[in-house]
Amino acid sequence: MVFSIATAFSLITRAQDLKIWDIRPAKTWMTEAYPMGNGSIGGMVFGGIAHEHIQLNEISLWTGDETNTGAYQALGDLFIDLSHKDSSETYRRELDLGSALQQVSYTVDGVRYKREYFCSHPDQVMVLRYAADRKGAYTGIIRLKDAHVARTSTEGTTLVINGVLENGLHYDARALVRVEGGEIIPGADSTVQVRNADGFTIYLAAGTDYSNRRSQQWRGQDPTGRDRRILTAAAFKGFDQLKSRHQYDYRGLFGRVSLRLGNTPASVQALPTYQRLLNYRNVPDHGIEALLFQYGRYLLISSSRKGGLPANLQGLWNDSNTPPWRSDYHSNINIEMNYWLAEPTNLSECHFPYLEYINSMREVKKEHTVKEYPGVRGWTVRTENNIFGGESFLWNTPGSAWYVQAIWEHYAFTRDKAWLGGFGYPVLKEIVEFWDDHLKRRPDGTLVSPMGWSPEHGPTEDGVTYDQEIVYDLFTNYIAAADTLHIDRAYRDHVADMREHLLKPRIGQWGQLQEWETDRDDPKDNHRHASHLFALHPGKQISVNKTPELANAARVSLQARGDASTGWSMAWKMNFWARLQDGNHAYTILKNFITLVGGSGVDYNEGGGIYSNLLCAHPPFQIDGNFGYTAGIAEMLLQSQTDELQFLPALPDGWADGEVRGLKARGNFEITDMQWKNGHIVRLTIRSLSGGNCFIRVPNALKGTLSKVSETGGQWRYRCSTRAGGVYAFTSL
Ligand code: FUC
């Protein structure tokens, strides 16, 4: 392989700049500890020198049932108390996003200590390895503490917690300790003691008897046997093998996308992450912008893996049994935002927990829905949702229609027709049927959603824009799905007719996009939800290229809403401005997002941002903002919602040069490489995974095997006919 010096340099910068690190242990869970997870078990690592603390979670540990929302629970804590001093001059803890590995290293009394932590998906185990450069350096006590009332016990050198929640859900967590050299003995009060060991390894497994099948009353396999088997297999494989299997698995997902936005000077990279955040206002640091983009991908891979539950309001990291908003699945923006990045940033596999969750809710939600809306087919949801179909707060009538947008998007990005036909289409259709029965027909034929509420303000009334736009999107996706599968022709035409008659978005007296049918929008309203702009993003009914007047009205509304807001609201605004093709405005919001929010404040009127561990501050911590930020950057670089691939649709002046690899576009196209200089694309390589015509819109002329369709307003449009598996490379003309 021949490497140019420039390529080698950029690979090195990329690897360096994928680390979040600090020179002090974490004091505060929410703002400083670093997360790790494998989609089912998770840990927040404090990295204490003599007193390590890893707070633990298991994603299905929920109270509540079908009629009571309950809350997502904390699992417990693992403490490792070492006998050496609690201070060091050389301390460093880091989270490497490139390999999903955390390290803590320090020197005490001339001994160099090093810990390595990860959470393996293939082996379903958390692994913590303690090494030192002097034999016999480790003496300490290891404890496991339950977050509920269960007592810890020991089975040999395994620490065990085993309990039952008030709803009858069984859970089990166990940590097996293995030493090298020295000795290991059971300690007092159900602890394990390590004496004069050269090093030791902790293998931790955890699970519940939750099943996502309602037909089994939401209960499945007993977790104890499963955890025992996991630990036996893990200890047999040992640290090195587990680590390489973990990295192979993780890199297979994470490594698909790389992003470089300009060059970050080595002097900036040499600073601890919180310092870079503090400097960010004054020192340009595109490296941290890209790091935060990749962090969203890390967090999704760590909290949402096939076979598991979707990422909740906090992903899977939660240290409380009464967390904010129950750490639940909120249907009026939050869970949807969690998955905006999945397809565009090439993590389609991580989308499945959400898609499967939607499927698992169908039967129970039908029962709830028909009580509220007698006589309807299909189903919808309230705003707050748990993992057993239980729900609370107000009805969010278009909630299920927004859910199933994900089904269409998964198909649009992957072109997996068998999946669409077998899994996706029946769900899409039953939600369409709900609206077929629920919509109200006015004497003039107009269809309106009755008594809706624009989240989370204003009156409850007919024809709220949020409802109308989501139903429009649902019908559009349904029609496309029926066309793709060549089925249900007559019903498809009926849906097309309903779509025709839906009350459409309107432009109001101050040029704004109306949030309600009555032109009552207040230009001073700066509410965090901008739900009436759904049609701009994540919908596609409004776009700069196809409906410029409506896009302009959306711009007027968005300007009035203002830039400052809560974490997820800023992330949504990045996406809106990207769709409005205003890269500089998207970038202004992006920079506001990178505001270091201190303390453990929970008052969101004080504005959102991020903490020093880069988790998003609603405040408090809420992960949707992290995911929405990543999706926002993807939207700034590539859009494909209007049947063409538009490259650099919203490039800010500050990102004149850069390179991205691995983004995906609808139509199952993978952008294996795009490099730009001075805002112009110099190299573009597209892999067509399903074949077909690829329409391309770019800010400068390209050469390669493509034919020009048009050239207007500084945008070039091309058509490239592709075959499945083909790779198409273009350069600037
Ligand atoms: C919605 C938002 C809040 C918060 C909550 C979890 O209700 O309005 O800001 O994000 O979800």
Side-chain angles (χ1 to χ4, degrees):
M1 197 179 343
V2 184
F3 260 155
S4 71
I5 291 181
T7 319
F9 176 75
S10 83
L11 286 175
I12 291 164
T13 11
R14 251 181 258 141
Q16 288 289 340
D17 221 8
L18 285 173
K19 289 182 178 170
I20 301 171
W21 62 282
D22 207 327
I23 51 169
R24 302 161 310 191
K27 286 201 185 76
T28 314
W29 180 91
M30 185 165 72
T31 62
E32 293 175 339
Y34 291 160
M36 62 178 171
N38 65 3
S40 56
I41 55 177
M44 283 287 265
V45 178
F46 285 71
I49 298 172
H51 306 286
E52 176 61 292
H53 175 194
I54 294 148
Q55 188 272 329
L56 303 168
N57 284 106
E58 202 287 337
I59 201 162
S60 63
L61 194 68
W62 268 83
T63 54
D65 52 34
E66 287 189 1
T67 55
N68 169 351
T69 320
Y72 180 48
Q73 303 291 289
L75 173 64
D77 303 270
L78 184 67
F79 297 102
I80 296 113
D81 294 317
L82 301 172
S83 62
H84 61 49
K85 273 199 304 216
D86 196 24
S87 62
S88 166
E89 296 296 307
T90 60
Y91 178 88
R92 177 179 164 117
R93 68 184 167 110
E94 69 170 44
L95 161 56
D96 181 3
L97 306 183
S99 55
L101 190 68
Q102 296 205 32
Q103 293 196 19
V104 178
S105 56
Y106 56 90
T107 306
V108 170
D109 292 336
V111 182
R112 186 99 195 112
Y113 293 89
K114 185 176 163 193
R115 305 174 197 161
E116 286 179 277
Y117 301 161
F118 60 90
C119 243
S120 159
H121 179 69
D123 292 300
Q124 288 296 306
V125 69
M126 184 184 286
V127 185
L128 315 164
R129 161 132 181 92
Y130 287 66
D133 68 359
R134 186 179 301 164
K135 288 205 175 302
Y138 279 111
T139 292
I141 291 175
I142 303 163
R143 292 181 287 140
L144 191 60
K145 184 174 170 297
D146 181 64
H148 294 84
V149 291
R151 291 178 65 92
T152 311
S153 58
T154 46
E155 292 176 14
T157 58
T158 302
L159 299 162
V160 180
I161 51 182
N162 194 289
V164 189
L165 296 183
E166 65 211 29
N167 60 0
L169 190 82
H170 286 259
Y171 62 94
D172 179 274
R174 47 191 66 225
L176 165 67
V177 187
R178 285 280 161 89
V179 285
E180 292 136 49
E183 50 175 344
I184 178 165
I185 48 171
D189 295 332
S190 300
T191 60
V192 163
Q193 227 183 320
V194 168
R195 273 199 212 143
N196 305 322
D198 305 340
F200 62 95
T201 306
I202 305 173
Y203 304 94
L204 185 136
T208 76
D209 64 353
Y210 173 76
S211 148
N212 70 356
R213 287 172 200 268
R214 185 182 196 226
S215 57
Q216 296 174 12
Q217 286 81 47
W218 308 104
R219 295 292 182 274
Q221 204 189 5
D222 173 67
T224 303
R226 180 180 166 274
D227 286 351
R228 282 197 181 120
R229 282 193 297 278
I230 287 172
L231 290 188
T232 307
F236 180 76
K237 287 195 181 97
F239 178 79
D240 290 337
Q241 203 187 332
L242 291 171
K243 181 175 161 188
S244 66
R245 283 165 57 85
H246 161 65
Q247 297 201 329
Y248 180 79
D249 165 73
Y250 175 79
R251 287 186 177 136
L253 293 166
F254 184 83
R256 292 172 186 172
V257 173
S258 68
L259 174 66
R260 181 176 59 78
L261 300 167
N263 287 319
T264 310
S267 58
V268 170
Q269 286 179 34
L271 296 171
T273 309
Y274 74 89
Q275 194 61 52
R276 285 173 75 173
L277 292 174
L278 286 172
N279 294 355
Y280 181 72
R281 287 270 153 263
N282 310 316
V283 186
D285 185 352
H286 300 312
I288 202 131
E289 295 162 357
L291 181 72
L292 202 49
F293 166 85
Q294 291 289 28
Y295 195 40
R297 299 184 66 247
Y298 166 81
L299 292 170
L300 191 70
I301 301 169
S302 305
S303 63
S304 185
R305 294 300 298 268
K306 218 168 171 176
L309 283 161
N312 60 43
L313 278 176
Q314 296 179 182
L316 60 58
W317 299 280
N318 166 36
D319 69 341
S320 165
N321 292 329
T322 51
W325 289 287
R326 310 161 191 274
S327 193
D328 69 4
Y329 297 106
H330 253 60
S331 69
N332 67 4
I333 176 72
N334 317 88
I335 187 171
E336 291 91 346
M337 184 180 279
N338 280 4
Y339 286 89
W340 289 348
L341 75 162
E343 303 289 344
T345 75
N346 218 333
L347 297 174
S348 194
E349 294 87 339
C350 298
H351 209 171
F352 279 101
Y354 179 37
L355 302 169
E356 294 287 350
Y357 171 77
I358 297 168
N359 186 43
S360 73
M361 291 296 127
R362 291 164 70 190
E363 292 314 314
V364 57
K365 296 295 184 186
K366 278 179 196 163
E367 279 181 25
H368 293 330
T369 301
V370 84
K371 284 187 198 138
E372 178 70 15
Y373 305 101
V376 296
R377 292 166 290 168
W379 54 277
T380 192
V381 293
R382 289 175 184 261
T383 301
E384 304 176 331
N385 294 275
N386 70 14
I387 62 172
F388 313 104
E391 57 193 356
S392 46
F393 197 50
L394 302 174
W395 284 95
N396 173 26
T397 356
S400 61
W402 195 346
Y403 277 2
V404 299
Q405 186 192 46
I407 288 180
W408 175 253
E409 293 293 353
H410 178 70
Y411 170 75
F413 278 88
T414 61
R415 288 283 162 104
D416 185 345
K417 244 189 223 184
W419 179 85
L420 180 68
F423 180 98
Y425 183 83
V427 192
L428 268 175
K429 187 171 177 189
E430 71 193 18
I431 307 301
V432 168
E433 286 170 342
F434 171 82
W435 286 97
D436 193 354
D437 297 343
H438 182 63
L439 284 171
K440 183 162 141 188
R441 191 175 287 273
R442 287 182 174 158
D444 68 355
T446 309
L447 290 171
V448 289
S449 160
M451 299 307 276
W453 188 44
S454 194
E456 296 184 0
H457 70 325
T460 299
E461 63 184 21
D462 293 354
V464 167
T465 306
Y466 166 77
D467 289 16
Q468 298 296 128
E469 291 177 342
I470 294 179
V471 176
Y472 184 95
D473 188 70
L474 168 74
F475 287 175
T476 303
N477 296 338
Y478 172 77
I479 293 164
D483 287 346
T484 303
L485 299 169
H486 304 292
I487 52 174
D488 282 341
R489 183 80 219 176
Y491 195 62
R492 173 240 179 259
D493 290 347
H494 168 64
V495 176
D497 181 69
M498 287 198 291
R499 185 178 67 165
E500 196 60 33
H501 286 89
L502 281 173
L503 180 72
K504 302 291 184 319
R506 300 157 156 244
I507 301 175
Q509 48 186 325
W510 44 280
Q512 89 284 12
L513 194 83
Q514 287 179 214
E515 186 156 0
W516 300 276
E517 187 180 9
T518 304
D519 187 0
R520 66 160 79 82
D521 302 64
D522 176 358
K524 295 204 179 63
D525 178 358
N526 61 2
H527 197 275
R528 61 192 179 284
H529 285 267
S531 309
H532 53 314
L533 307 188
F534 173 93
L536 176 68
H537 181 277
K540 49 190 180 285
Q541 188 181 359
I542 297 179
S543 70
V544 170
N545 299 338
K546 291 195 169 163
T547 60
E549 288 86 14
L550 288 171
N552 195 50
R555 176 189 304 270
V556 171
S557 290
L558 199 52
Q559 240 142 12
R561 260 332 201 244
D563 294 345
S565 201
T566 62
W568 65 257
S569 176
M570 286 195 279
W572 200 0
K573 286 172 184 167
M574 276 173 65
N575 285 273
F576 285 139
W577 284 111
R579 286 273 172 104
L580 288 170
Q581 301 185 11
D582 188 335
N584 285 336
H585 207 135
Y587 193 51
T588 299
I589 310 229
L590 180 154
K591 286 194 283 190
N592 290 345
F593 187 92
I594 307 184
T595 297
L596 184 61
V597 175
S600 303
V602 292
D603 181 1
Y604 56 84
N605 291 318
E606 289 180 2
I610 50 174
Y611 302 116
S612 68
N613 55 11
L614 300 192
L615 290 175
C616 179
H618 177 282
F621 162 46
Q622 211 171 282
I623 208 161
D624 40 18
N626 287 102
F627 293 140
Y629 170 95
T630 300
I633 290 192
E635 287 290 328
M636 290 164 78
L637 301 175
L638 169 63
Q639 292 176 26
S640 59
Q641 70 279 5
T642 55
D643 302 325
E644 61 182 16
L645 278 56
Q646 185 169 358
F647 292 94
L648 302 183
L651 190 73
D653 296 339
W655 292 350
D657 300 346
E659 185 176 1
V660 66
R661 294 184 184 172
L663 291 181
K664 289 244 7 233
R666 292 170 187 84
N668 206 9
F669 296 108
E670 187 177 70
I671 313 316
T672 37
D673 189 23
M674 170 167 66
Q675 202 186 3
W676 69 94
K677 285 205 168 84
N678 295 321
H680 279 205
I681 294 169
V682 292
R683 208 176 60 217
L684 174 63
T685 312
I686 301 176
R687 186 193 303 273
S688 169
L689 294 162
S690 299
N693 274 333
C694 181
F695 288 93
I696 296 172
R697 190 188 282 262
V698 276
N700 54 284
L702 293 182
K703 63 176 185 236
T705 30
L706 30 65
S707 43
K708 189 156 103 181
V709 179
S710 66
E711 177 191 335
T712 42
Q715 294 190 342
W716 279 255
R717 289 191 70 223
Y718 296 97
R719 185 175 62 81
C720 171
S721 59
T722 72
R723 56 174 179 76
V727 176
Y728 302 86
F730 315 107
T731 50
S732 60
L733 196 62

